[in-house]
Amino acid sequence: MRTVKEISDLTGISVRTLHYYDEIGLLKPTAKSDAGYRLYDDKALETLQQILFFREFDIPLKEIKAVIENPVLERNQILQMQKKMLTAKKERLERLIVSIDRILKGDNNMNFEVFSKTELEDMYNSMAANMSDEQKAVFIEHYGSMDEWKKSFLENASSEAVQKNFQKVVEWYGSKEKALEASKNPGNSELVPAYQKRLGIIVQKLAEKKGYDVTSFEVKELIGEYDFVSKQLYQMEDVSALMRELAEAYQNNKEIQKVQDSVYGEGVTEFIGRAIAAFYTDR
């Protein structure tokens, strides 16, 4: 057993913070000494380590508590979740270090490139190869020819704004390689509209549940289906990062709310945003 002071010295967490974690039920001491001092065993120390991993991403303590107390999540599942998060953070930090190195060498132009020109060309070629004649006809009508569309695609995709968006996509997929692979293999052209149609049906069903508790079984069941269909549509093993960003946009972006509410009813978009956020709190 270790005392609060020993845990503080070992982890660098202040005694005051450990006391606070106890007060809110996030990290209870294993036992107390005869004198009333808090004592922690190795299991408690392991829990504290998990808490510190999550705090690296500024995740609210309330959400960390919900994850750790979730009986469905086993130790290895939590560690796998944290490993993915830390890997993504490591990749971001590595890119920042590369940018700083360039600046130190005299190159003051920040480089936001995620996909190189060669990778973008491969992406275009794969998309074009997977297009139906009808889809190609749409681009030819708009741009004049496939070559002109390619030129426009490469120009836009190379811009700083689009490259920053690509960075989000890389985080959603978990790695640059997976994101690139998904872009090259968009899936069955007949299935994509079917998945999109199914998502529309789910949103309509959620609209009918407006006013329900977002943690109710009925709502969570629909969000669970939304999760499954999204994985198929985007060819992603885990869509939680994407869904959290969607939840944030649904709850705070007035333009998105205005457009979607005009179809499904006032307040529906914000409600769905809260439902999505609640569903992924424990994931």
Side-chain angles (χ1 to χ4, degrees), residues 221-245:
E221 184 179 34
L222 286 170
I223 299 297
E225 185 179 357
Y226 198 107
D227 174 275
F228 174 77
V229 177
S230 295
K231 287 175 180 175
Q232 311 310 309
L233 176 60
Y234 300 116
Q235 302 177 63
M236 296 170 66
E237 295 179 4
D238 182 3
V239 293
S240 56
L242 171 60
M243 291 298 108
R244 288 191 183 98
E245 288 207 18

Side-chain angles (χ1 to χ4, degrees), residues 65-82:
K65 187 172 185 287
V67 171
I68 290 176
E69 292 180 350
N70 189 334
V72 177
L73 293 176
E74 297 179 350
R75 172 180 173 274
N76 285 351
Q77 288 178 296
I78 294 176
L79 288 174
Q80 286 294 337
M81 181 193 311
Q82 292 171 330

Side-chain angles (χ1 to χ4, degrees), residues 30-283:
T30 308
K32 288 190 177 181
S33 68
D34 294 338
Y37 293 112
R38 297 172 174 85
L39 298 174
Y40 299 84
D41 62 8
D42 289 342
K43 185 176 180 180
L45 186 60
E46 182 180 299
T47 301
L48 177 59
Q49 186 179 44
Q50 293 176 346
I51 293 169
L52 297 181
F53 280 149
F54 282 121
R55 289 301 290 157
E56 279 289 322
F57 302 91
D58 296 322
I59 295 176
L61 295 178
K62 182 179 178 181
E63 294 185 15
I64 296 175
K65 187 172 185 287
V67 171
I68 290 176
E69 292 180 350
N70 189 334
V72 177
L73 293 176
E74 297 179 350
R75 172 180 173 274
N76 285 351
Q77 288 178 296
I78 294 176
L79 288 174
Q80 286 294 337
M81 181 193 311
Q82 292 171 330
K83 181 180 178 181
K84 288 182 180 179
M85 296 168 70
L86 288 168
T87 299
K89 183 174 182 178
K90 172 177 171 285
E91 290 173 354
R92 288 196 296 272
L93 291 174
E94 286 175 345
R95 283 190 292 273
L96 286 173
I97 290 171
V98 170
S99 295
I100 291 172
D101 284 340
R102 286 180 178 142
I103 294 173
L104 290 173
K105 291 176 181 177
D107 182 1
N108 292 322
N109 295 319
M110 290 293 285
N111 183 4
F112 295 95
E113 182 182 274
V114 177
F115 295 123
S116 67
K117 183 177 179 181
T118 299
E119 288 170 331
L120 292 175
E121 287 184 347
D122 287 343
M123 191 185 297
Y124 165 82
N125 291 332
S126 297
M127 288 190 297
N130 282 285
M131 281 183 179
S132 65
D133 290 339
E134 291 79 7
Q135 290 171 322
K136 289 180 180 179
V138 173
F139 285 97
I140 291 172
E141 181 180 356
H142 184 77
Y143 291 96
S145 69
M146 289 296 285
D147 286 339
E148 284 300 311
W149 177 52
K150 178 179 181 180
K151 180 180 177 182
S152 176
F153 170 83
L154 293 176
E155 183 178 331
N156 290 330
S158 299
S159 69
E160 181 179 314
V162 174
Q163 287 285 337
K164 285 183 178 179
N165 287 333
F166 279 149
Q167 181 54 55
K168 286 187 178 181
V169 174
V170 168
E171 291 179 12
W172 294 340
Y173 279 92
S175 72
K176 177 178 174 180
E177 291 70 27
K178 288 182 179 179
L180 196 57
E181 185 64 24
S183 72
K184 291 181 178 180
N185 299 284
N188 190 311
S189 59
E190 295 180 0
L191 286 177
V192 171
Y195 290 142
Q196 292 172 331
K197 182 179 179 180
R198 186 59 198 166
L199 288 179
I201 293 173
I202 296 170
V203 171
Q204 180 60 59
K205 289 183 177 181
L206 283 167
E208 295 168 3
K209 303 296 182 189
K210 179 192 163 188
Y212 278 51
D213 184 335
V214 295
T215 62
S216 67
F217 173 78
E218 296 89 342
V219 174
K220 291 179 74 174
E221 184 179 34
L222 286 170
I223 299 297
E225 185 179 357
Y226 198 107
D227 174 275
F228 174 77
V229 177
S230 295
K231 287 175 180 175
Q232 311 310 309
L233 176 60
Y234 300 116
Q235 302 177 63
M236 296 170 66
E237 295 179 4
D238 182 3
V239 293
S240 56
L242 171 60
M243 291 298 108
R244 288 191 183 98
E245 288 207 18
L246 182 66
E248 175 71 19
Y250 275 14
Q251 292 180 88
N252 300 298
N253 190 307
K254 300 301 180 185
E255 289 301 315
I256 292 177
Q257 291 174 359
K258 181 179 178 181
V259 172
Q260 187 155 276
D261 284 358
S262 68
V263 178
Y264 297 103
E266 185 176 354
V268 166
T269 305
E270 191 272 339
F271 166 73
I272 294 176
R274 287 191 290 110
I276 293 173
F279 184 86
Y280 289 97
T281 294
D282 299 336
R283 286 166 172 75

Side-chain angles (χ1 to χ4, degrees), residues 7-21:
I7 293 291
S8 177
D9 291 341
L10 185 64
T11 64
I13 302 299
S14 70
V15 171
R16 183 177 179 181
T17 297
L18 290 169
H19 286 176
Y20 179 64
Y21 286 175

